[in-house]
Amino acid sequence: MNKTLIEQHGFDLIEQVDDSSRTVVWKALQRSLERTVILRILKPEAAANPAEVDHFLTIARRIARIKSDAIASIFDIVSHGDLHYIVMEHVEGPSLEELVSAHGPLPQDQILRIISSLIGSVSHMWDSAHIVHRNLKSATIRLDSRGIAKIMDFGLAIIAGPNVDATAMDGGHIVGTPCFLSPEQAQGANTLNTQSDMYALGAVCYHLATGIVPFEGQDVVSILTAHIKHQIPPPHRLNPALSPSFSWLVHRLMMKNPSNRYACWEDVLKDIRCLLEGTPPSCI
């Protein structure tokens, strides 16, 4: 990574905050505006592959066009020779994972409102650009100072389509965070749609509601097998403060067969509104 060139572009690197197979993420100070930002930088080995560079920049441009409070803003995209990076909003608040670790399971209504706000963004990604996130999880969704949840990472996102291989960039590996992977991702399916993100968002619901992630405490192969074959216990049995109807919502989001999940995000929002109003949702 060319730190000198990044500094010449007007950024002071503060600390590295993440390191994935394709990108490294730094917290930085943008000197011209005196603000803290996040730089998501394509690693040299990925930057050497023109297809990787095109995918990285295309996803960033499409995400940047989506105006939503629940998506961390993309301020700029920089390409200079073999250096490619995205300048993103920095959110000071805790991740949902940190929130649960510090305070335990969240109240049901708070979970529903957080998930509802996230659905608006994930739905927009799908409807406007056919983007499948592929890696929704509690650790990369942060709450800002207003308590608004924001999706911070799009490193594994793809643009889906009838002739698009969802695994083309994965080098034959199953990618993502095991405890939040949909069954079809766990099986290495090369065709995905927004129902895969539904499953992941259901896993986030489960984590926020119970304080544990699905199938945690097992090795990776066992976790992937469990997503394909096993059921999670109903959340209300682990947390009596939850309603059985909430468990039905999570169960519907996390159905093994994608076609058995909700047909669209609007149907999920309708059931969330029912739960908030105390009326029976359609998922029961």
Side-chain angles (χ1 to χ4, degrees), residues 21-22 49 52 55 133-134 155-158 165-176 181 184-185 188-192:
S21 59
R22 292 175 182 145
N49 182 344
E52 287 268 18
H55 179 79
H133 188 282
R134 295 206 303 168
L156 294 181
I158 60 161
D165 182 351
T167 64
M169 297 287 183
D170 301 337
H173 302 290
I174 293 174
V175 301
L181 281 184
E184 56 271 26
Q185 287 175 272
N190 58 16
T191 302
L192 300 177

Side-chain angles (χ1 to χ4, degrees), residues 112 115 119 182-184 194-206 232 246-258 260-262 264-265 267-269 271-272 283:
L112 292 172
I115 297 301
I119 284 173
S182 67
E184 56 271 26
T194 198
Q195 272 69 28
S196 291
D197 287 341
M198 278 186 191
Y199 187 95
L201 208 57
V204 171
C205 274
Y206 182 85
I232 56 169
F246 178 89
S247 293
W248 279 110
L249 172 75
V250 175
H251 179 68
R252 180 71 182 276
L253 289 168
M254 297 184 69
M255 294 290 283
K256 301 300 181 186
N257 187 330
N260 290 335
R261 298 169 204 154
Y262 287 94
C264 64
W265 287 107
D267 289 346
V268 187
L269 289 173
D271 270 2
I272 288 177
C283 56

